[in-house]
Amino acid sequence: MAVCIAVIAKENYPLYIRSVPTQNELKFHYTVHTSLDVVEEKISAVGKSLGDQRELYLGLLYPTEDYKMFRKLHNSFTDVMCNPFHNPGDPIQSKAFDGIVSGMMVQTG
Amino acid sequence: WKALRRPLSTVKQVYSFKEKHHGDLQGAGDQSLFTSLYTSLAQQLPREPMEWRRTYGRAPKMIHLEANFVQFKEELLPKEGNKALLTFPFLHIYWTDCCDTEVYKSLVKEDMLRWQNSLRAHGSADWVIIVVETNDNKKKNKTNILPRSSIVDKIRSDFCNKQNDRCVVLSDPLKDSSRSQESWNSLLLKLRTLLLMSFTKNLGRFEDDMRTLREKRTQPGWSFCEYFMVQEELAFVFEMLQQFEDALVQYDELDALFTQYVLNFGAGGNFGWSGLLLRRPIDMEKRDGIQRGEASLLDLRSYLFSRQCTLLIFLQRPWEVTQRALELLHNCVQELRLLEVSVLEGALDCWVFLSCLEVLHRIEGCCDQAQLAANCSHTVGLWAYATDKLKSLGELCGLVSEKEPTSEDLNRTVDLLAGLGDERPETVNSLQSPYKKLKEALSSVEAFERHYLELSHAAMEMYRAIGRLRSARLVGKSLAEFYMRKADPERAETFLQEALKSYVSEGWSLPVTHTRKQIAACQKLLGRTEDYLQTSALLAGDVNLTTEERKHFCQEILTFAGKSGDQSQKVTLSMGVFTQLTRLQFRPATASVHSGAVLQVELTLRCLMPVSVHIQQLAASIHFDLERGGTNGRSKGTQRQTNPGTVEFHQSNSSAGPPSSSAAGPPLELDEIQDRSPSDNSLNSTGVVCKNTHLVMRRHDSHSPPDTPNCVSPPAVAMKEGAQMLKVQDVTLEPGNNSIIFTAPSGQPGTYTLRQLYATVGQVQFVLPHIYPSVQYEVYSQEPQLTVEPLSEPLLAGLPQMVKFTLLTGHYTVKKGDALQLSNTDTMPILPSSSCTARISNPAAEIIFDTYNVLSIQSSEKVTSISLPPTPPYHTLEFHLEVLCLIPSGDERPANERLTNGEVRHRPRSYSHPDTPMTAIDQRMSIDCPWSIYSTLLALTFYIPFKTKHSLLSAGNRKYIQVCVQNVSDVNFTLAEVKLTEKQHATLELQSLNTKTQQLLCSKHSVFCLWEVRWKDDLPSCLQCVFSADFSPLNQDISAFKPFHYQFQFERVTTLYSVRADILPPAGEQHCRSGLLCGLEVCITRLTEPAEGELAEDSKTDTDGLKTTKLMYEVADSSSNWAVCGKSSGMVSMPMAASATHKVQIEVMPLFAGHLPFPKIKVLKYLPHTAAVAIQPDPDSCVENDSLSLLDKALDDQGDTASIRSRGSVHSVGSGDQQQKGVAMPRLEPFSPGQVFNHSYTQQVLVLPATDDHIMEVNAT
């Protein structure tokens, strides 16, 4: 079950962040932000070995319960980025994207 | 004979060998047989590795077999369904050294049979019989000796049914001989093979059984603990074989199965929270508990983990231990929550804390310091987790506060410590066990703080060391919360600010809000009013907070603002967090007004406060720049916006909410482009171009993250008190957009730049330190300007024309009685008009109607005065006047007349204009204006619609004057009253030969007029004529006729000479013939007596007293009809008397047949050089060459006598003598037109062809 889903920009600011409403949203923000440490670590590690560059799944980021379900979200994310009216770097406000995320949260929860 | 059993805990592998020895008879001797062999057997068996081929496709492995030997007892044989693998007898050996057939038959065989039967009864087929042969035995029983082979053969035939390898002979085992060694080797190989065979078989069976058991896990009554014991058995076996990887797999499988089991069924039970125990390889205590099925979840997890940990350390993978430990701890916590196990509050925290430290201790125990430092990325998670747990324990037990814990807290602490139980014996003696640490930490506030800080700092340092700065900051934030609880805001703030900086820079609004709230509390405690208010302002505008919270923070500011205090207590805050300037609009939109005019500035302020705020004063400081203040009245292109006069401010620091990167991107600058065809200017294509593509198309994600929730700490605000301010008092800003209108000062001309914005709320002042993009407006001052321009182009001279006067009043106010004074000129009178009204319009070009706008125009002799209606400044006054520019009649008048005001009168000079065939006249006007002591000079250009030419025509003595009027304008005229008068000679009569009184003169056409000159006595040599006519544009009233005058002058009008030429055919011929010489007789006759002027001018007295003049003639045939033979030119001396005649004979030859025109005969004046000439150049050559060539040119241009004269003089100068101008050399001068009359001018003569051959040559020219 996904409790919190976040899409983070390259500059580490959140493009999209949503968590299960019953939980403490603030805590998730802190957690996701802190987990960027590991993301950075892993991404820089990936950069070193060319062979791994295509590996988009970064694994467990932060030692709690949040896993990053990257692949499924990635398709929807690509759609958002393909929107000619979307300014890359702006927060994501797509309804379709919202729907996908909701689906992922409800699926198992 | 001796049972050897190693304890399980030694971790050495244990194999149970059943050995059977028959020894009733041999008694002690037989016991000594096995005992003597045991040592070397146990030593040598594991020495050589064996290849272990495994089932299920697992890779084969080389293993060393080690065995444990146990004496055979029937009760030790495993029963059906036995699951113990560790104590399983894999191979049964029957040892015998019997060499006596009888003994074998009577005793040994029977014993063996019994042994075999019991084996068979237990289903064991893994056995071997070893026959030991020694020479001693042989010697001892010499008599009864049978061949050795017979005993072995017997045994084989009795027991080893087709399995001969089940009986092995060992020869002389105790001797050190090669035979003995060989015998040992083959025995060992045999034993290893058989043992491994049995092992593989039994292990496979065990694994199958185990799987079967596992499949039953969904059935009721299935016990996980039971299964656990079975699979652990397998793990032990692998461990003993040193196959740690395989052993670990067993535990991992158990782990996974357990997790699944927990999730599906739940398992609970009471438990203690003494934490993991990793110091023992096998925690038998817990294992027993599991075996008994009494283990709690934590027990089971702890035991499992301790086993995994042990194996991982064997495998030298300590870092996996830490990682798994963290997962385990998280898992356990999750599982207990899932199972809803009721636990004493804090117990789990204790368990996690102890476990973290235990794992860390264990890792520290097997790694050196350098390794630990290099791998702190693996341990830091545990450190942080432990820190976290200790903190919550401290909070639970009332240790995180200024005060001592309450008795309730103490009770809780006691309960928690009780749950820990006694310290384990392993760590009782160590100084720093996790157990001791926890106990101490919970013992007092001080001890807690010490331990907590130690852990926190350790975790933070490690995070920093591995570059996980966010994690470090999060720990720091937690630490800050601790300090806040301990009422130490000073230390807390450092950590909070650091964290806030990171959240702000990366745009995480929720953490920003939360942290900022903590900082606010901190600052309030610290009494840092200004900082606190600034933070409060940020929070009051933070949409992440509830309205209540926002109101609270807003109220904090307002409360402070409401306090009455002295000036020093004033606080200046950054405006951006309070209200945002979003738009600024100028009215008028040009942002440019003349001085004194009203300019309004409308500000749109977005108030971020949750409630309406009353502002005592809102002010904008202005920087005044005199230099750039233009009088041009145009705004400089500071505002590039498409919407003129409006400046949009992009908010870069919204106090909350997601960052908008649109603020970072520059706005598009678009321009329309049109592609027009160069030939006809028609539109080919049109489009839009973006002028700042390089900025717009720049990668957005490559620059810094978009500006996010504002500044960490607001920038220091410097207030610059400007001399001028835009001010509004008492404004109430409502949440959201507010519109505030200022009236901008516009007194002094110059550029006004808006610099800062202030809002004063009681003691608090909000300042916007820089208004960017810069906003400017201009105040200009304009001098009055008077311009005159034609109402319609072009202005025609000679006709009344309307001109437009435009007065831009500028800063000048036209008062009643102000008048323009125009100096009158003769050449351009101002025509009086009955209804001359003025039009006054304001700067917006709106016409102001006013009944008093009638102009009164008064003309005196020299001045026309136009009184102006009162006009406000910066208005436009327009009126029309009718003027008439007189056409100059061509005569010269003295210049340098002075006007009434002392100005030099500028004679209008006519000149030809390149754009029009009409002759242009610049007419200047001098106007005295009330605002200036200087006269204003204005010029108008008029065009003369006519070009007039005159010419003198002669017929012998009779003279005619022709005037040609050409209309070069675009207007059609009627010409009337055409007259020609001579001014000086009254007796002279000019008889008009013109028939029409009115004549149409169309555009681009000409009219020719002719008069015959008649005189009574003498024809004056000089005629001064005036041509006059009336003209008006076609189809206009008679009254519209305007006079047109044209003056001209003729000189030397009288005919002096007549020239007659005659062509004489050759002698004897009646006609001329081509190619034959004929004579040309030229007869020059003087017609008049010399006039006075002529005498003085160019005659001289001959030696014989006769006045003569020298003429030069020249015969020139330009059309090549004639060839002149001999001299073509010559000089004649003519007496200056009437009828004096001179004849010249010249031979010419016609070149063609037909009626040929006579060759041209020119007569010129020859002016000899005077006697006074000192230097004498060769006159002849000069005449012959230079002068003649000059003549040709001069004669082409006969009309202008003056021109020829001047050329002559130029020529003389050019010939080299500059000291004696004009008289140094003989020269030629043509006569004026009419002075020489050529009778044979166009006469022709018939020329016959040279031979009469009937061929007519036709020459058509």
Side-chain angles (χ1 to χ4, degrees):
Chain A
M1 172 180 89
V3 287
C4 176
I5 287 171
V7 181
I8 312 293
K10 224 173 69 177
E11 292 81 15
N12 290 333
Y13 62 90
L15 288 174
Y16 182 92
I17 183 158
R18 222 182 107 197
S19 52
V20 173
T22 51
Q23 310 265 338
N24 183 357
E25 192 185 2
L26 178 65
K27 195 189 94 190
F28 282 120
H29 279 244
Y30 276 124
T31 305
V32 173
H33 180 250
T34 312
S35 70
L36 291 176
D37 272 341
V38 186
V39 174
E40 272 183 0
E41 236 167 57
K42 296 205 176 187
I43 285 173
S44 64
V46 163
K48 279 169 202 158
S49 56
L50 285 168
D52 289 348
Q53 266 184 349
R54 302 204 65 103
E55 183 54 78
L56 297 176
Y57 177 70
L58 295 174
L60 182 63
L61 296 179
Y62 189 73
T64 52
E65 283 298 297
D66 52 332
Y67 287 80
K68 211 180 176 193
M69 293 175 66
F70 195 71
R71 174 54 71 189
K72 181 157 189 188
L73 202 55
H74 194 256
N75 291 336
S76 181
F77 180 70
T78 314
D79 289 347
V80 171
M81 287 301 137
C82 287
N83 179 359
F85 297 103
H86 179 77
N87 194 356
D90 276 358
I92 296 169
Q93 286 164 334
S94 153
K95 274 183 193 160
F97 189 78
D98 226 30
I100 297 269
V101 169
S102 301
M104 288 170 71
M105 285 181 163
V106 168
Q107 215 167 37
T108 46
Chain B
W1 302 85
K2 188 180 176 187
L4 294 169
R5 181 173 177 152
R6 297 184 186 183
L8 284 169
S9 56
T10 55
V11 198
K12 286 286 165 185
Q13 59 188 12
V14 180
Y15 291 143
S16 169
F17 271 101
K18 261 313 193 200
E19 56 87 30
K20 173 74 181 176
H21 187 76
H22 172 262
D24 284 0
L25 293 177
Q26 274 73 26
D30 286 332
Q31 189 178 5
S32 67
L33 168 67
F34 178 72
T35 315
S36 62
L37 294 174
Y38 166 73
T39 319
S40 46
L41 192 61
Q43 274 178 0
Q44 291 196 41
L45 192 63
R47 197 163 286 169
E48 296 282 323
M50 285 293 287
E51 195 191 50
W52 180 27
R53 295 173 196 276
R54 306 174 62 188
T55 51
Y56 296 112
R58 283 173 284 191
K61 282 191 171 160
M62 300 301 285
I63 58 167
H64 294 263
L65 289 165
E66 215 172 312
N68 200 9
F69 296 88
V70 179
Q71 192 178 5
F72 179 77
K73 281 178 197 155
E74 192 157 349
E75 58 269 27
L76 284 180
L77 284 176
K79 313 262 181 323
E80 193 59 44
N82 176 42
K83 299 290 185 299
L85 203 56
L86 281 175
T87 55
F88 190 83
F90 286 102
L91 191 62
H92 304 272
I93 313 172
Y94 192 97
W95 296 87
T96 179
D97 58 353
C98 172
C99 51
D100 190 330
T101 321
E102 291 308 312
V103 176
Y104 168 73
K105 277 184 181 167
S106 59
L107 294 168
V108 178
K109 189 181 174 184
E110 234 168 276
D111 195 42
M112 278 185 182
L113 266 175
R114 248 196 328 272
W115 174 67
Q116 286 269 305
N117 285 337
S118 65
L119 284 185
R120 212 170 292 132
H122 287 93
S124 175
D126 302 304
W127 53 267
V128 69
I129 298 164
I130 300 174
V131 180
V132 182
E133 279 182 353
T134 53
N135 288 340
D136 298 349
N137 286 359
K138 282 178 190 170
K139 281 167 194 164
K140 206 162 42 180
N141 304 308
K142 211 85 189 191
T143 51
N144 295 328
I145 279 182
L146 287 170
R148 170 192 52 87
S149 59
S150 68
I151 288 279
V152 175
D153 288 344
K154 262 192 186 330
I155 295 172
R156 279 183 181 157
S157 70
D158 287 344
F159 299 100
C160 310
N161 184 23
K162 291 170 194 166
Q163 287 180 291
N164 284 341
D165 58 339
R166 295 281 170 162
C167 183
V168 188
V169 178
L170 179 64
S171 306
D172 293 331
L174 299 175
K175 291 239 174 88
D176 191 14
S177 70
S178 65
R179 186 163 170 266
S180 156
Q181 195 60 48
E182 206 176 298
S183 171
W184 265 116
N185 283 348
S186 73
L187 173 72
L188 287 170
L189 185 63
K190 180 65 75 181
L191 282 181
R192 282 183 201 127
T193 311
L194 289 173
L195 188 55
L196 199 58
M197 231 158 69
S198 165
F199 178 66
T200 309
K201 193 170 71 193
N202 286 297
L203 199 65
R205 196 183 296 148
F206 184 85
E207 279 185 298
D208 288 345
D209 290 348
M210 189 183 82
R211 271 183 211 104
T212 313
L213 182 61
R214 191 164 61 193
E215 293 314 310
K216 287 181 187 160
R217 66 183 181 277
T218 50
Q219 294 176 0
W222 187 83
S223 155
F224 178 79
C225 290
E226 225 170 82
Y227 176 77
F228 182 93
M229 285 302 160
V230 173
Q231 190 160 8
E232 191 182 33
E233 197 80 12
L234 190 61
F236 282 147
V237 170
F238 284 122
E239 187 175 355
M240 281 166 199
L241 290 169
Q242 304 213 324
Q243 302 305 313
F244 300 122
E245 201 72 58
D246 289 295
L248 187 60
V249 167
Q250 305 312 314
Y251 283 111
D252 289 350
E253 280 181 17
L254 278 172
D255 200 345
L257 186 65
F258 182 59
T259 305
Q260 198 189 10
Y261 182 65
V262 167
L263 293 176
N264 290 343
F265 300 102
N270 58 332
F271 74 99
W273 41 89
S274 48
L276 292 174
L277 193 67
L278 305 175
R279 283 159 216 254
R280 289 186 242 169
I282 302 175
D283 187 345
M284 289 313 285
E285 212 176 298
K286 286 219 168 67
R287 189 167 189 274
D288 290 346
I290 296 165
Q291 205 157 23
R292 287 195 302 274
E294 292 166 356
S296 70
L297 182 135
L298 285 188
D299 285 342
L300 219 149
R301 284 275 181 221
S302 301
Y303 177 73
L304 247 176
F305 185 72
S306 75
R307 295 295 301 139
Q308 286 167 323
C309 171
T310 305
L311 292 170
L312 283 168
I313 287 173
F314 279 144
L315 287 166
Q316 303 197 314
R317 275 147 56 182
W319 311 122
E320 206 176 319
V321 174
T322 59
Q323 190 198 318
R324 277 162 171 257
L326 208 52
E327 272 172 54
L328 166 83
L329 298 177
H330 288 305
N331 260 346
C332 288
V333 173
Q334 291 284 325
E335 278 171 2
L336 285 174
R337 207 173 289 159
L338 195 74
L339 295 169
E340 295 175 353
V341 175
S342 67
V343 196
L344 183 68
E345 200 186 359
L348 261 183
D349 295 336
C350 283
W351 184 76
V352 170
F353 177 78
L354 290 171
S355 300
C356 283
L357 291 193
E358 178 69 13
V359 173
L360 290 169
H361 278 226
R362 184 75 184 88
I363 297 303
E364 277 163 15
C366 67
C367 296
D368 59 26
Q369 208 56 42
Q371 268 181 303
L372 279 173
N375 286 285
C376 57
S377 65
H378 295 102
T379 54
V380 69
L382 287 171
W383 282 106
Y385 201 17
T387 313
D388 211 33
K389 289 301 165 190
L390 184 61
K391 190 184 169 209
S392 53
L393 278 173
E395 280 166 2
L396 185 71
C397 299
L399 296 165
V400 188
S401 83
E402 285 173 283
K403 298 183 281 278
E404 289 296 310
T406 62
S407 62
E408 204 177 313
D409 294 333
L410 287 174
N411 277 340
R412 218 174 280 135
T413 313
V414 169
D415 286 348
L416 276 177
L417 291 177
L420 295 179
D422 291 328
E423 184 161 17
R424 301 295 183 89
E426 291 91 338
T427 56
V428 161
N429 296 321
S430 75
L431 286 170
Q432 279 234 317
S433 70
Y435 182 89
K436 288 200 182 74
K437 239 182 206 172
L438 180 61
K439 258 195 149 157
E440 197 194 329
L442 296 183
S443 66
S444 74
V445 172
E446 292 73 28
F448 174 80
E449 182 171 352
R450 197 174 64 246
H451 281 285
Y452 174 64
L453 290 184
E454 190 190 326
L455 278 175
S456 291
H457 285 292
M460 270 198 289
E461 266 162 42
M462 280 185 217
Y463 273 136
R464 285 217 184 86
I466 58 171
R468 294 194 184 176
L469 296 177
R470 295 180 192 84
S471 308
R473 285 185 198 120
L474 197 63
V475 176
K477 246 196 103 243
S478 182
L479 194 55
E481 281 157 20
F482 169 78
Y483 279 127
M484 286 301 286
R485 295 280 294 274
K486 299 282 282 177
D488 189 355
E490 210 158 342
R491 286 193 204 183
E493 206 204 355
T494 327
F495 291 110
L496 290 173
Q497 291 284 13
E498 201 192 335
L500 179 64
K501 212 184 294 173
S502 135
Y503 301 139
V504 165
S505 72
E506 295 186 336
W508 288 75
S509 70
L510 229 51
V512 164
T513 308
H514 179 243
T515 311
R516 191 167 278 150
K517 230 164 80 183
Q518 293 175 319
I519 288 176
C522 227
Q523 286 165 337
K524 193 174 187 183
L525 281 175
L526 288 169
R528 295 226 303 269
T529 314
E530 194 163 333
D531 291 342
Y532 174 64
L533 290 176
Q534 186 71 65
T535 312
S536 295
L538 282 167
L539 288 168
D542 196 331
V543 291
N544 284 332
L545 292 177
T546 61
T547 316
E548 281 312 307
E549 282 174 300
R550 290 175 60 187
K551 277 182 184 164
H552 162 74
F553 285 110
C554 187
Q555 197 51 50
E556 289 285 286
I557 302 168
L558 295 178
T559 308
F560 176 84
K563 273 194 238 168
S564 56
D566 55 324
Q567 284 292 312
S568 63
Q569 270 223 291
K570 276 211 164 193
V571 167
T572 302
L573 302 177
S574 162
M575 182 177 279
V577 301
F578 167 69
T579 179
Q580 289 173 344
L581 177 61
T582 56
R583 199 153 60 129
L584 187 146
Q585 220 172 345
F586 281 110
R587 288 181 201 153
T590 51
S592 174
V593 292
H594 58 78
S595 65
V598 176
L599 177 73
Q600 284 189 328
V601 183
E602 180 182 347
L603 297 184
T604 305
L605 290 175
R606 189 193 297 145
C607 182
L608 301 170
M609 293 296 108
V611 293
S612 55
V613 178
H614 179 80
I615 292 177
Q616 275 98 55
Q617 178 177 284
L618 189 69
S621 68
I622 290 172
H623 174 79
F624 173 68
D625 196 350
L626 186 62
E627 280 176 26
R628 287 183 58 193
T631 53
N632 53 2
R634 286 171 58 95
S635 66
K636 302 202 176 70
T638 45
Q639 283 109 41
R640 297 182 306 268
Q641 277 77 10
T642 46
N643 196 0
T646 304
V647 185
E648 300 282 352
F649 296 91
H650 296 287
Q651 289 314 315
S652 56
N653 52 350
S654 64
S655 90
S660 70
S661 68
S662 58
L668 289 179
E669 283 181 30
L670 296 176
D671 253 5
E672 184 188 0
I673 50 159
Q674 292 185 340
D675 176 25
R676 287 180 182 278
S677 129
S679 54
D680 55 354
N681 205 34
S682 65
L683 192 63
N684 280 343
S685 66
T686 184
V688 171
V689 284
C690 176
K691 290 196 293 183
N692 55 350
T693 342
H694 58 293
L695 295 174
V696 176
M697 299 300 283
R698 191 173 54 184
R699 276 177 66 100
H700 274 292
D701 46 0
S702 58
H703 53 78
S704 60
D707 302 304
T708 40
N710 52 36
C711 32
V712 175
S713 55
V717 177
M719 275 204 284
K720 291 173 195 149
E721 287 291 341
Q724 304 198 64
M725 303 274 263
L726 296 175
K727 274 184 198 169
V728 177
Q729 310 286 339
D730 292 322
V731 195
T732 302
L733 289 183
E734 298 294 335
N737 282 345
N738 294 269
S739 173
I740 290 144
I741 296 174
F742 292 98
T743 301
S746 58
Q748 216 178 340
T751 304
Y752 293 75
T753 309
L754 269 60
R755 281 281 168 86
Q756 295 187 323
L757 199 61
Y758 315 91
T760 312
V761 185
Q763 297 295 95
V764 181
Q765 189 161 39
F766 293 98
V767 178
L768 179 66
H770 301 289
I771 296 175
Y772 182 84
S774 71
V775 176
Q776 289 184 340
Y777 67 90
E778 272 183 16
V779 173
Y780 59 89
S781 166
Q782 199 179 25
E783 292 298 316
Q785 272 182 6
L786 181 66
T787 51
V788 182
E789 56 196 334
L791 201 61
S792 64
E793 290 280 3
L795 287 174
L796 291 178
L799 290 170
Q801 301 282 299
M802 291 297 255
V803 292
K804 187 169 86 174
F805 282 73
T806 309
L807 171 62
L808 302 172
T809 53
H811 60 75
Y812 182 76
T813 311
V814 180
K815 297 172 287 290
K816 196 166 189 292
D818 278 344
L820 298 176
Q821 309 281 341
L822 273 71
S823 300
N824 290 345
T825 57
D826 303 339
T827 50
M828 193 187 74
I830 288 159
L831 304 177
S833 163
S834 55
S835 62
C836 181
T837 54
R839 205 173 68 170
I840 298 171
S841 54
N842 66 8
E846 293 156 356
I847 295 165
I848 297 170
F849 290 99
D850 197 337
T851 48
Y852 298 106
N853 287 349
V854 178
L855 297 176
S856 73
I857 301 173
Q858 291 175 329
S859 289
S860 67
E861 188 189 346
K862 291 193 167 176
V863 170
T864 303
S865 169
I866 305 166
S867 59
L868 300 171
T871 311
Y874 298 100
H875 277 56
T876 308
L877 179 73
E878 272 180 20
F879 58 89
H880 299 165
L881 276 186
E882 204 172 28
V883 295
L884 179 66
C885 176
L886 298 179
I887 300 173
S889 50
D891 59 338
E892 298 294 315
R893 280 218 221 142
N896 289 348
E897 281 181 64
R898 295 246 161 210
L899 297 174
T900 47
N901 55 13
E903 289 277 319
V904 174
R905 178 188 292 274
H906 294 275
R907 258 301 115 195
R909 247 169 54 84
S910 57
Y911 57 93
S912 59
H913 199 277
D915 292 341
T916 165
M918 295 186 279
T919 307
I921 312 167
D922 278 345
Q923 189 71 48
R924 298 207 181 193
M925 288 192 289
S926 172
I927 304 170
D928 287 341
C929 304
W931 56 81
S932 171
I933 55 163
Y934 301 106
S935 295
T936 306
L937 285 177
L938 297 171
L940 283 171
T941 303
F942 290 86
Y943 296 91
I944 302 171
F946 304 120
K947 262 194 177 149
T948 318
K949 277 187 265 180
H950 60 274
S951 53
L952 181 74
L953 308 172
S954 304
N957 279 334
R958 294 164 78 179
K959 298 287 171 186
Y960 301 89
I961 294 172
Q962 189 192 50
V963 176
C964 168
V965 182
Q966 189 189 0
N967 179 5
V968 284
S969 78
D970 295 326
V971 186
N972 295 333
F973 291 105
T974 309
L975 214 57
E977 300 290 328
V978 182
K979 270 197 297 194
L980 188 71
T981 50
E982 212 284 331
K983 289 199 275 189
Q984 290 174 325
H985 308 280
T987 54
L988 208 66
E989 187 190 343
L990 293 168
Q991 188 182 357
S992 171
L993 300 175
N994 308 305
T995 51
K996 290 180 182 169
T997 51
Q998 282 203 355
Q999 214 158 0
L1000 181 67
L1001 182 49
C1002 292
S1003 169
K1004 315 292 178 207
H1005 283 68
S1006 302
V1007 162
F1008 290 87
C1009 307
L1010 193 66
W1011 287 266
E1012 189 183 350
V1013 185
R1014 297 199 177 183
W1015 62 92
K1016 282 185 177 143
D1017 305 324
D1018 270 336
L1019 180 65
S1021 67
C1022 180
L1023 296 176
Q1024 289 200 347
C1025 304
V1026 177
F1027 170 82
S1028 62
D1030 290 345
F1031 72 100
S1032 78
L1034 196 63
N1035 302 329
Q1036 282 207 1
D1037 195 55
I1038 299 287
S1039 63
F1041 277 102
K1042 294 289 165 191
F1044 169 64
H1045 297 282
Y1046 175 67
Q1047 292 195 10
F1048 56 93
Q1049 177 171 323
F1050 291 115
E1051 279 175 21
R1052 290 172 238 177
V1053 184
T1054 320
T1055 309
L1056 294 180
Y1057 301 98
S1058 73
V1059 177
R1060 278 174 198 277
D1062 210 2
I1063 291 184
L1064 306 170
E1069 294 275 351
Q1070 201 168 356
H1071 293 288
C1072 296
R1073 269 183 193 277
S1074 69
L1076 287 181
L1077 282 176
C1078 45
L1080 172 70
E1081 196 181 72
V1082 177
C1083 177
I1084 304 169
T1085 311
R1086 172 102 197 174
L1087 295 182
T1088 55
E1089 290 295 331
E1092 283 179 33
E1094 192 183 9
L1095 280 173
E1097 192 181 310
D1098 49 18
S1099 64
K1100 73 177 203 179
T1101 311
D1102 252 354
T1103 45
D1104 51 2
L1106 262 173
K1107 285 187 188 290
T1108 59
T1109 180
K1110 281 199 169 158
L1111 298 177
M1112 176 159 162
Y1113 68 88
E1114 190 193 7
V1115 178
D1117 178 44
S1118 55
S1119 55
S1120 306
N1121 288 332
W1122 300 90
V1124 180
C1125 306
K1127 257 179 94 178
S1128 65
S1129 62
M1131 202 100 70
V1132 289
S1133 206
M1134 282 294 285
M1136 293 189 76
S1139 307
T1141 304
H1142 202 287
K1143 280 191 181 165
V1144 182
Q1145 296 279 350
I1146 300 161
E1147 289 207 310
V1148 294
M1149 184 167 70
L1151 298 175
F1152 300 99
H1155 287 283
L1156 297 186
F1158 277 30
K1160 231 176 225 168
I1161 298 150
K1162 290 179 195 164
V1163 177
L1164 300 154
K1165 272 188 244 180
Y1166 180 81
L1167 303 177
H1169 58 86
T1170 55
V1173 171
I1175 301 155
Q1176 185 77 6
D1178 186 0
D1180 290 325
S1181 67
C1182 187
V1183 169
E1184 288 295 322
N1185 300 315
D1186 295 340
S1187 296
L1188 275 178
S1189 61
L1190 163 79
L1191 271 173
D1192 284 343
K1193 275 189 254 161
L1195 287 169
D1196 287 340
D1197 199 356
Q1198 273 185 331
D1200 195 345
T1201 51
S1203 150
I1204 286 178
R1205 193 184 295 145
S1206 71
R1207 281 195 198 185
S1209 70
V1210 167
H1211 163 76
S1212 68
V1213 171
S1215 64
D1217 196 346
Q1218 296 175 334
Q1219 290 170 331
Q1220 285 122 28
K1221 269 197 216 170
V1223 289
M1225 288 181 51
R1227 56 200 168 95
L1228 289 170
E1229 196 176 88
F1231 286 101
S1232 299
Q1235 279 190 306
V1236 175
F1237 182 76
N1238 196 338
H1239 287 275
S1240 52
Y1241 182 54
T1242 52
Q1243 210 172 336
Q1244 291 182 336
V1245 65
L1246 178 66
V1247 178
L1248 296 179
T1251 48
D1252 193 11
D1253 50 6
H1254 309 289
I1255 294 169
M1256 177 70 87
E1257 197 175 335
V1258 179
N1259 186 12
T1261 53

